[in-house]
Amino acid sequence: MTSANEQWVTRGERVLMQTYGRLPVTMVRGAGCKLYDAEGREYLDFVAGIAVCNLGHCHPQVTAAVREQVEKLVHVSNLYHTQPQIELAELLVANSFADRVFFCNSGAEANEAAIKLARKASPEGKYEIISLTGSFHGRTLATVAATGQTKFHQGFEPLPSGFVHAPFGEIEALRDLIGPATCAVLCEPLQGEGGVRPLAPAYLRAIRELCDQHGLLLIFDEVQVGMGRTGTLLAHEQLGVTPDIMTLAKGLGNGLPIGAMLAGERVAAAFTPGSHASTFGGNPVVCAAALATLQVLLAPGFLAGVAAKGEYLATRLGELARQYPQRAVEVRGMGLIQGLVLSESARDQGLAMVRRLFEQGLLLNFAGNTALRFIPPLVVSEGEIDRAVAMVAAVLRE
Ligand SMILES: *Cc1c(COP(=O)(O)O)cnc(C)c1O
């Protein structure tokens, strides 16, 4: 007799394109930091939809907002205004450097919009964008071209032109890439997919200075690290560097598909009616979800709690690294995005460790082929962190 999980997995494998290395499980329900599969088995979720379900699964305030909105209005064209979209944009503008917002449906689309805006807002002949090696910006052709990892390029050439990559951390090399066609620098304040690699504040400041000297726009991709993940609403608030354009997506709607591209007035003015559009972008239901999400994140004390739990997680992971120096060499991250960097010799065990932890009921993933990535819902408790750390310790010990 095959289990309910196996039956669903078999059906899925038959009809879905094989684009994901999925674990053999079918999830049916979620609550807070817990997920439940087709057989009622419980998992402690330290993936959170890849930094998406920041308030945990099925947060009551988000669920209520969605329920209320689907009964009122699900969709109208962007030929008309809707209340949730305006309220969400107002709240994003009030809590960021930006003056205006464009809504879309995903991180890749937000970055596409940022790339288009950077080109449109730049003088004739300036179109080239410099991004960093190890970066991840999405899976559309332009965002794949911007992504600084060749494994995402292979088989899809020719890629759109106008993208070059500067070696991570090397400011001189970035300066050397700036030419007459350069219009912008695009980077993540912390590379998530690249293996939880923060950019040093001094490096980011130097990038900002180069942009100012050469009249380039600075674009921050905060798709993964924005929305409270690092202990401030936006990661760059802690780094003392302000971008000209910023993108958000993953955590924005706590699981509903929404992306946003934000900019200051001067840059945003380059977009005029007809410049860019999205049929579903800023849909009332996803905006209602994002509005409720943002309200919870901005409630007094919430983000300070994220910062405190992030420090706790980093401390506990630091103990692990000291305990198992042959397996783990470093802990790095900001707030509740932390990476336990595996030693060179343990890296080929990364996926096997993820599999082992899954079998024991902990969901975690292996980022950039270097680090076990801890991105729990921001509502995680210290007790849940302790449980996860204990399970990882057991697997490192094996
Ligand atoms: C996930 C991610 C993207 C792409 O987002 P999608 O919603 O999958 O298109 C872009 N940039 C960063 C930094 C990401 O982590």
Side-chain angles (χ1 to χ4, degrees):
M1 250 235 335
T2 53
S3 70
N5 260 326
E6 283 166 17
Q7 286 172 27
W8 281 110
V9 169
T10 306
R11 285 170 62 176
E13 301 281 300
R14 210 175 280 145
V15 290
L16 298 170
M17 292 229 184
Q18 302 287 293
T19 48
Y20 306 100
R22 288 187 171 100
L23 288 163
V25 65
T26 304
M27 298 299 183
V28 294
R29 191 166 66 82
C33 299
K34 308 277 172 53
L35 276 173
Y36 301 86
D37 72 12
E39 286 151 44
R41 188 156 180 251
E42 183 182 291
Y43 300 84
L44 182 56
D45 185 10
F46 270 52
V47 173
I50 308 194
V52 167
C53 302
N54 283 3
L55 302 182
H57 296 282
C58 301
H59 188 279
Q61 262 167 268
V62 179
T63 302
V66 168
R67 185 174 288 149
E68 199 178 310
Q69 188 58 46
V70 287
E71 286 176 353
K72 211 155 54 181
L73 180 68
V74 171
H75 181 80
V76 290
S77 163
N78 278 310
L79 293 169
Y80 318 103
H81 281 291
T82 60
Q83 293 163 354
Q85 188 178 133
I86 295 166
E87 287 182 296
L88 176 60
E90 283 175 348
L91 206 51
L92 286 170
V93 163
N95 288 282
S96 71
F97 70 94
D99 300 310
R100 292 185 184 273
V101 189
F102 173 83
F103 289 111
C104 51
N105 316 285
S106 67
E109 279 176 85
N111 285 330
E112 285 274 348
I115 292 162
K116 288 179 73 174
L117 180 62
R119 286 186 176 185
K120 196 131 197 309
S122 298
E124 186 86 18
K126 286 189 178 289
Y127 57 86
E128 196 168 75
I129 293 179
I130 303 174
S131 55
L132 304 182
T133 57
S135 62
F136 182 80
H137 298 297
R139 301 293 202 136
T140 61
L141 281 172
T143 57
V144 157
T147 291
Q149 301 186 62
T150 47
K151 70 175 180 194
F152 294 110
H153 299 171
Q154 280 153 10
F156 300 115
E157 296 91 350
L159 295 175
S161 56
F163 297 92
V164 293
H165 305 109
F168 181 93
E170 296 175 29
I171 194 70
E172 298 297 330
L174 196 154
R175 176 184 298 133
D176 291 344
L177 282 175
I178 297 172
T182 311
C183 77
V185 175
L186 165 64
C187 62
E188 303 151 84
L190 174 155
Q191 292 187 341
E193 297 309 301
V196 192
R197 277 205 295 185
L199 275 65
Y203 177 44
L204 270 180
R205 276 197 301 275
I207 293 176
R208 176 75 266 183
E209 277 164 28
L210 276 181
C211 287
D212 293 340
Q213 277 165 21
H214 295 268
L216 311 179
L217 296 169
L218 178 57
I219 309 168
F220 278 170
D221 176 346
E222 291 229 17
V223 166
Q224 185 160 154
V225 295
M227 298 309 288
R229 175 59 49 190
T230 64
T232 45
L233 185 66
L234 306 166
H236 72 257
E237 291 170 36
Q238 294 174 56
L239 301 166
V241 180
T242 305
D244 301 296
I245 301 175
M246 175 181 70
T247 55
L248 295 171
K250 291 196 164 84
L252 184 52
N254 206 50
L256 275 88
I258 177 169
M261 187 273 287
L262 299 86
E265 184 66 50
R266 187 185 60 82
V267 176
F271 268 2
T272 52
S275 293
H276 194 50
S278 167
T279 297
F280 292 124
N283 166 292
V285 178
V286 298
C287 284
L291 187 60
T293 303
L294 206 47
Q295 283 163 346
V296 175
L297 291 177
L298 294 172
F302 189 94
L303 291 171
V306 173
K309 286 184 282 190
E311 262 180 52
Y312 183 72
L313 173 61
T315 304
R316 296 299 325 269
L317 293 179
E319 290 163 14
L320 275 190
R322 274 195 303 281
Q323 234 176 320
Y324 303 100
Q326 306 93 327
R327 296 284 167 83
V329 291
E330 189 193 348
V331 178
R332 60 193 188 198
M334 290 171 77
L336 281 174
I337 176 166
Q338 295 289 336
L340 182 65
V341 182
L342 298 186
S343 63
E344 296 281 351
S345 62
R347 276 180 204 175
D348 57 357
Q349 291 298 306
L351 286 177
M353 289 184 195
V354 167
R355 177 73 187 225
R356 219 35 220 113
L357 290 164
F358 158 72
E359 285 161 3
Q360 291 169 23
L362 174 66
L363 304 181
L364 205 66
N365 78 346
F366 189 47
N369 212 31
T370 25
L372 292 173
R373 177 170 49 178
F374 296 74
I375 38 177
L378 308 181
V379 297
V380 70
S381 67
E382 287 196 356
E384 285 165 330
I385 290 174
D386 289 341
R387 266 182 58 205
V389 168
M391 286 159 97
V392 174
V395 163
L396 289 176
R397 207 178 298 129
E398 275 173 13

